[in-house]
Amino acid sequence: MLEIKNLVVEIEGKRILDGLNLSVNNGEVAAIMGPNGSGKSTLSYIVAGKEDYDILDGEVLLDGENILEMDPAERAVKGVFLAFQYPLEIPGVATMTFLKAALNAQRKARGETELTTPDFIKRVNAAADKLEIPREMLRRALNVGFSGGEKKRMEILQMALFQPRFCILDETDSGLDIDALRVVADGVNALRSPDRTFLVITHYQRLLEHIVPDTVHVMANGKVVKSGGKELAVELEANGYADYKAQEAA
Amino acid sequence: MPAVQDTIDRVKAIDVDQYKYGFETILEMEKAPKGLNEDVIRFISAKKDEPEWMLEWRLEAYRRWLTMQEPSWARVSYPKIDFNDLYYYAAPKMNEAPKSLDEVDPEILKAYEKLGIPLREQEILAGVEPKNRVAVDAVFDSVSVATTFKKELAEAGVIFCSISEAIREHPELVKKYLASVVPVSDNFYATLNSAVFTDGSFVYIPPGVRCPMELSTYFRINEKNTGQFERTLIIADKGSYVSYLEGCTAPQRDENQLHAAVVELVALDDAEIKYSTVQNWYPGDSEGKGGIYNFVTKRGDCRGKNSIITWTQVETGSAITWKYPSCILRGDGSRGEFYSIAVSNGRQQIDSGTKMIHLGKNTTSRIISKGISAGQSENTYRGLVSAHRKASGARNFTNCDSLLIGDRCGAHTVPYIESKNASAVFEHEATTSKISEDQLFYCMQRGLDEEEAVALIVNGFVKDVLQKLPMEFAVEAQKLISISLEGSVG
Ligand SMILES: Nc1ncnc2c1ncn2[C@@H]1O[C@H](COP(=O)(O)OP(=O)(O)OP(=O)(O)O)[C@@H](O)[C@H]1O
Ligand SMILES: [Mg+2]
């Protein structure tokens, strides 16, 4: 389970997370919604271990263990996975090469045997086929010249391949066409399991019709300001964030 | 080189400093007296059993050298070299030249083994596919110790031996081609080399012959305070083909060691020469102490029509590198290529690049240079592309990319273009980029540690050039690049 306690984060003196509390149980899919700039991506970066933030207070616990001192690779080995809102390009590095290096680095760090090339190719091809990613794309440099939707799909391919325990999806739905949205949602649903935790950041109820969340949390001004069930997302879709912004300002 | 990974791992396990090849072999050495004068040159020439004409040639070069000035235009700085404080000849003591590998000092063989060189023919025969076989001419300090595969090459008519042997056995070829590409008075270091060169390789491929295996020289500087002045001469006669690999290492020392080689390539009509170098000489410690000074003159002459010369280099070592493998595109329709990866870290200084001199009609050239700077190093690409009046239809494409790791290093690009023919088309592209924090974070989020992430991004950056290297060399080069960038982040 993932627990975030009283997280206070600043960047260059500007407060971005301001005493955020959130817990997500094993097997649970939690949706995070909230206006632009409310700190959703920042939260995902903090959990994944990006530097350059001043963490003034709080804890991030995975199954009770505080991970804030670990570097991003160590957290990845513990099972943290972030599907980026804006995936990075790695010129000259074939997607296949990148995926194999990453998967084997994780396996090695966990004391598991590294996969041989044929084993690896079998796995990656199977995952690509499910997500309707053409195999030819795996030979291209990672994310270089990929369309917005292709990049998002590639993030989900990586998630499927690594089978992480703590998955954060940051606006994976933005940029996806209707068919891709279904394919990606199916990919995520296939990974749902009693010992896996999901944080799904999105602006749209549409995604949550495909990936039905157990809980929905509203973020505003660096805090979770309201939590509820899946009906909360429907309500937000109808009324927007006006109430929460006003509440904060008052 | 199949033993390389193992070697790297083993040496890595022993050594605490950055340099992984820093071991010294204890051998009894035979040296010329310290310093440089005509007697030392006579000593070298006598040791090599050289004919009189060769000695005269050397002495003339020496007298010329005395009148020359050390060049200072490169973007490198180093304390003044005292040329009289060096040994110009050092050879493992042997009563007579070895007839076979069994007569070679086992300590030397051990040193090569540590470097992962498949010197013993049996090993190569046992381990490697016939088409990937490599014949090795190993230069240990100043003497070529053993040459493998001689017989099979001889059957194909290929001559592959040390330059000393060639001077004795094939004087007509040596006289015809030596200094025909790099004239004796070409530059300060080339002239010095002409006076004191001690060994190096000689290759002659007869007309129409495709050399049946890759030829390789492994240079290693072992003795303290010796300058290493090898001289290599490769001639590809009409319609022939040869691929030549050169690898270099040197043990770790406190004093700087000087290396000033001359390499000359001659390609006649329709011939092709591929010359690949992986250079990982000791770069000095983190303060820049020790390390090799590498002042090298490499030049290829596309003398015949439609001939091709390709230089591929991976430069990761040396404290100072001053090196411009060049092509003279004399034959009509000839082609020159230069592919380079230059990695600098710590306090290394690299000033390297190429010259493409278009003399003939419809000559083409291509330059792909990838510079990677880390630590407090300085990495300069210096290139000249020129077209002579008669070089109608000359074409060049140049692409220079620099990658910076950290913010205390420097990358510089100094392209010179001279065209005296209006129909020449020269294109130049250059980029400078930094490994971004975001890229690193992304890779680490996927489980790669920082060094693995840097290595992966760097390998992506140099991929176009790595692909130009023969397979075994490419694998070795990739590992060397990662090793030489260790400790460059964080
Ligand atoms: N490096 C930075 N320097 C200054 N401000 C920053 C920096 N990174 C983020 N911020 C600010 O922090 C706030 C939260 O940003 P964040 O990206 O977490 O928002 P978000 O909730 O993900 O928004 P969106 O819905 O648009 O993706 C924004 O106001 C943003 O401008
Ligand atoms: Mg965001």
Side-chain angles (χ1 to χ4, degrees):
Chain A
M1 105 177 242
L2 170 69
E3 293 165 283
I4 297 161
K5 294 185 178 165
N6 189 36
L7 197 57
V8 180
V9 171
E10 287 185 355
I11 184 159
E12 286 157 18
K14 182 182 166 193
R15 187 151 299 195
I16 299 174
L17 299 181
D18 192 17
L20 183 138
N21 289 289
L22 179 69
S23 23
V24 192
N25 285 317
N26 288 347
E28 186 178 320
V29 174
I32 309 264
M33 305 184 81
N36 295 132
S38 56
K40 302 180 299 296
S41 292
T42 305
L43 171 64
S44 70
Y45 288 148
I46 296 292
V47 175
K50 193 172 186 199
E51 284 176 18
D52 303 331
Y53 294 96
D54 298 317
I55 302 177
L56 302 182
D57 201 1
E59 289 178 319
V60 174
L61 307 170
L62 294 186
D63 297 332
E65 182 184 15
N66 190 356
I67 59 167
L68 285 180
E69 293 297 312
M70 297 178 188
D71 76 27
E74 292 172 284
R75 299 185 201 200
V77 169
K78 293 263 175 205
V80 174
F81 180 87
L82 170 60
F84 282 59
Q85 182 172 1
Y86 304 107
L88 276 294
E89 299 182 359
I90 315 287
V93 179
T95 301
M96 201 67 131
T97 308
F98 179 88
L99 297 180
K100 183 164 177 248
L103 181 59
N104 277 338
Q106 292 189 21
R107 293 179 69 96
K108 201 170 153 192
R110 291 191 198 108
E112 298 163 11
T113 53
E114 294 179 40
L115 289 185
T116 62
T117 302
D119 276 351
F120 168 77
I121 289 175
K122 240 179 263 162
R123 283 194 200 198
V124 82
N125 280 343
D129 292 350
K130 268 199 198 125
L131 290 162
E132 296 174 19
I133 293 172
R135 290 183 184 183
E136 160 274 321
M137 255 174 87
L138 300 172
R139 287 197 292 272
R140 287 166 56 188
L142 181 65
N143 290 331
V144 178
F146 289 15
S147 74
E150 287 168 342
K151 288 182 182 172
K152 295 301 179 70
R153 241 189 270 200
M154 198 53 83
E155 294 291 283
I156 301 306
L157 171 76
Q158 297 185 47
M159 188 167 84
L161 196 64
F162 301 151
Q163 304 262 315
R165 283 201 53 218
F166 304 93
C167 309
I168 307 169
L169 280 64
D170 192 358
E171 293 196 29
T172 300
D173 52 334
S174 62
L176 291 181
D177 66 37
I178 297 163
D179 295 335
L181 184 71
R182 194 171 305 119
V183 169
V184 163
D186 289 348
V188 172
N189 287 330
L191 284 171
R192 287 177 85 150
S193 99
D195 50 21
R196 189 164 284 131
T197 301
F198 284 92
L199 266 188
V200 179
I201 298 170
T202 182
H203 286 296
Y204 303 107
Q205 160 64 14
R206 196 184 53 170
L207 175 71
L208 303 180
E209 282 164 13
H210 295 285
I211 305 172
V212 181
D214 300 298
T215 51
V216 174
H217 306 271
V218 180
M219 258 183 85
N221 300 308
K223 294 199 241 296
V224 172
V225 291
K226 179 156 188 177
S227 300
K230 59 175 185 261
E231 63 294 341
L232 181 55
V234 182
E235 189 190 311
L236 286 171
E237 183 98 338
N239 302 332
Y241 297 113
D243 286 357
Y244 304 102
K245 285 187 191 160
Q247 208 179 347
E248 230 358 79
Chain B
M1 302 205 171
V4 167
Q5 179 50 50
D6 186 44
T7 310
I8 290 174
D9 289 346
R10 243 184 309 151
V11 180
K12 210 169 165 179
I14 320 166
D15 206 342
V16 286
D17 208 333
Q18 298 263 357
Y19 191 62
K20 312 305 180 199
Y21 294 97
F23 53 86
E24 194 173 332
T25 307
I26 310 293
L27 288 167
E28 220 187 319
M29 300 295 281
E30 186 171 9
K31 283 186 211 167
K34 212 180 209 178
L36 187 52
N37 52 50
E38 296 203 357
D39 285 342
V40 167
I41 292 167
R42 282 177 217 285
F43 177 93
I44 294 170
S45 189
K47 275 286 155 207
K48 303 257 150 208
D49 247 333
E50 285 178 355
E52 188 59 27
W53 62 268
M54 197 65 231
L55 173 63
E56 280 311 314
W57 195 85
R58 287 175 180 276
L59 290 172
E60 208 172 299
Y62 173 66
R63 289 169 200 144
R64 181 73 72 106
W65 179 74
L66 288 174
T67 68
M68 295 171 87
Q69 294 284 323
E70 221 176 321
S72 59
W73 44 262
R75 199 184 179 103
V76 294
S77 60
Y78 52 92
K80 194 128 193 63
I81 300 170
D82 181 354
F83 289 94
N84 272 314
D85 196 34
L86 291 173
Y87 290 101
Y88 287 84
Y89 180 86
K93 223 175 205 162
M94 277 174 300
N95 295 330
E96 239 178 76
K99 299 264 176 327
S100 76
L101 280 173
D102 298 329
E103 293 177 25
V104 174
D105 189 323
E107 286 293 318
I108 292 181
L109 293 180
K110 235 189 263 166
Y112 283 133
E113 230 171 85
K114 280 193 217 169
L115 292 168
I117 303 172
L119 195 64
R120 285 190 169 272
E121 287 182 52
Q122 304 94 298
E123 279 179 21
I124 308 171
L125 287 167
V128 187
E129 285 293 296
K131 63 175 179 319
N132 289 341
R133 274 177 310 155
V134 178
V136 180
D137 180 20
V139 177
F140 199 100
D141 283 335
S142 309
V143 174
S144 184
V145 181
T147 305
T148 52
F149 277 114
K150 262 202 171 148
K151 239 171 55 203
E152 198 179 324
L153 289 169
E155 274 161 27
V158 171
I159 304 172
F160 178 36
C161 62
S162 70
I163 192 99
S164 313
E165 189 178 331
I167 289 166
R168 290 190 304 265
E169 307 292 329
H170 308 283
E172 66 302 336
L173 284 172
V174 174
K175 276 187 188 163
K176 183 165 177 194
Y177 291 105
L178 188 71
S180 74
V181 187
V182 179
V184 171
S185 55
D186 188 78
N187 69 73
F188 183 83
Y189 303 112
T191 310
L192 176 63
N193 175 287
S194 301
V196 301
F197 74 86
T198 39
D199 225 321
S201 298
F202 176 84
V203 177
Y204 173 77
I205 316 289
V209 170
R210 203 180 158 85
C211 185
M213 64 191 77
E214 313 254 11
L215 302 181
S216 160
T217 304
Y218 226 96
F219 290 111
R220 177 167 166 75
I221 300 180
N222 194 57
E223 185 69 5
K224 283 180 196 177
N225 288 323
T226 50
Q228 180 146 324
F229 303 92
E230 348 83 26
R231 182 101 198 181
T232 290
L233 177 58
I234 299 176
I235 303 134
D237 212 324
K238 291 180 182 171
S240 69
Y241 167 87
V242 63
S243 165
Y244 187 88
L245 319 174
E246 172 201 48
C248 326
T249 55
Q252 191 167 335
R253 286 265 171 59
D254 280 347
E255 322 93 276
N256 298 81
Q257 298 161 79
L258 176 64
H259 180 262
V262 171
V263 175
E264 298 178 276
L265 312 182
V266 181
L268 301 183
D269 289 356
D270 304 304
E272 179 171 0
I273 301 175
K274 279 197 162 96
Y275 192 105
S276 313
T277 309
V278 172
Q279 184 268 111
N280 61 326
W281 270 323
Y282 182 49
D285 64 14
S286 48
E287 295 304 310
K289 205 167 147 209
I292 299 284
Y293 292 170
N294 193 21
F295 303 124
V296 175
T297 306
K298 288 185 165 171
R299 195 171 304 155
D301 188 355
C302 287
R303 204 163 284 181
K305 62 174 175 25
N306 301 323
S307 55
I308 303 173
I309 290 180
T310 302
W311 296 101
T312 306
Q313 61 171 20
V314 178
E315 300 279 318
T316 67
S318 294
I320 298 175
T321 303
W322 179 98
K323 182 181 172 190
Y324 315 89
S326 304
C327 296
I328 300 167
L329 304 167
R330 199 184 303 274
D332 289 347
S334 63
R335 178 167 180 78
E337 297 178 357
F338 174 76
Y339 301 102
S340 170
I341 299 170
V343 184
S344 58
N345 196 0
R347 302 263 181 168
Q348 278 176 273
Q349 306 173 60
I350 296 183
D351 194 303
S352 183
T354 186
K355 288 187 224 169
M356 293 291 173
I357 316 285
H358 293 257
L359 301 179
K361 290 190 184 56
N362 298 318
T363 47
T364 53
S365 61
R366 187 178 163 87
I367 299 170
I368 309 284
S369 162
K370 306 276 183 179
I372 300 150
S373 336
Q376 289 168 263
S377 65
E378 294 292 332
N379 204 325
T380 301
Y381 168 82
R382 188 183 301 275
L384 167 70
V385 179
S386 74
H388 191 262
R389 259 182 319 107
K390 289 180 185 154
S392 53
R395 291 190 76 96
N396 165 269
F397 173 76
T398 298
N399 176 287
C400 294
D401 295 328
S402 306
L403 184 69
L404 299 169
I405 303 175
D407 44 24
R408 291 185 301 165
C409 53
H412 317 275
T413 303
V414 192
Y416 302 91
I417 292 174
E418 298 169 1
S419 180
K420 297 200 176 108
N421 187 302
S423 69
V425 181
F426 293 165
E427 289 172 77
H428 182 93
E429 290 174 0
T431 65
T432 301
S433 52
K434 258 187 111 153
I435 293 188
S436 77
E437 293 293 326
D438 288 345
Q439 276 177 321
L440 278 180
F441 171 59
Y442 184 82
C443 293
M444 292 180 75
Q445 206 302 301
R446 302 297 135 99
L448 298 166
D449 68 31
E450 196 163 24
E451 272 173 8
E452 290 168 332
V454 169
L456 193 77
I457 293 168
V458 167
N459 275 318
F461 176 73
V462 301
K463 197 187 75 183
D464 302 352
V465 174
L466 275 187
Q467 284 172 341
K468 298 289 170 188
L469 286 169
M471 193 45 181
E472 319 87 290
F473 243 37
V475 172
E476 182 187 27
Q478 195 168 355
K479 286 178 181 137
L480 278 174
I481 293 168
S482 311
I483 288 176
S484 50
L485 286 173
E486 268 174 24
S488 63
V489 286

